[in-house]
Amino acid sequence: MHLPDDQAIIITLKKHRAYVTQTRIAVLRVLSQTRGSISVSRIRKLSPVALDRVSIYRTLQLFLEKGLILIVPNSRGNPHYILTDFLKMTSANSLENQLVYFICKTCGHTELIEQGDSLIVKRPANHQVNNCYIVLEGICNRCISGGKS
């Protein structure tokens, strides 16, 4: 995965009409360096600068509104976030199609599963469906093998 420098992050923020701040740069850097999705607490731990939870949540809310990120659903109640650019680079699907996630119930690892057109979901009559999120929960290979992968 290509890791952007500060200039690329600043260009991305400006392209999405978001003011450039130290917090936004730090959060976007962590998101861009993460393969898959990430939680707020993990963003806070990986950030090169000290960030408070409120600032991270406000930044993530802005990124959601600007279309930079998506929320990855999970059953634990703590949302994870993933860059939409990451989804475009790693998935054969467009964002209007189906997104399938695997979530490990042991360690919480979340990953996007490559999904072709083989999955068929019946759409409700007289409704417009823009996105479809499917969550598969289980135990990842790393947890099965005792963390040795």
Side-chain angles (χ1 to χ4, degrees), residues 73-78 80 101-111 135-144:
N74 69 44
S75 63
R76 291 186 175 188
N78 56 339
H80 285 66
Y101 300 98
F102 175 83
I103 301 171
C104 178
K105 293 191 74 113
T106 302
C107 69
H109 171 74
T110 305
E111 65 183 78
V135 178
L136 305 173
E137 291 183 322
I139 301 173
C140 70
N141 189 35
R142 186 174 186 172
C143 290
I144 289 172

Side-chain angles (χ1 to χ4, degrees), residues 61-115:
Q61 183 59 43
L62 175 78
F63 288 176
L64 282 166
E65 291 168 8
K66 299 290 184 178
L68 276 165
I69 62 173
L70 290 175
I71 293 178
V72 178
N74 69 44
S75 63
R76 291 186 175 188
N78 56 339
H80 285 66
Y81 303 87
I82 191 167
L83 282 174
T84 54
D85 286 345
F86 177 79
L87 294 174
K88 291 174 190 173
M89 289 185 303
T90 60
S91 176
N93 294 327
S94 68
L95 293 178
E96 291 74 40
N97 288 334
Q98 305 156 73
L99 297 176
V100 180
Y101 300 98
F102 175 83
I103 301 171
C104 178
K105 293 191 74 113
T106 302
C107 69
H109 171 74
T110 305
E111 65 183 78
L112 178 69
I113 306 294
E114 292 288 338
Q115 183 63 42

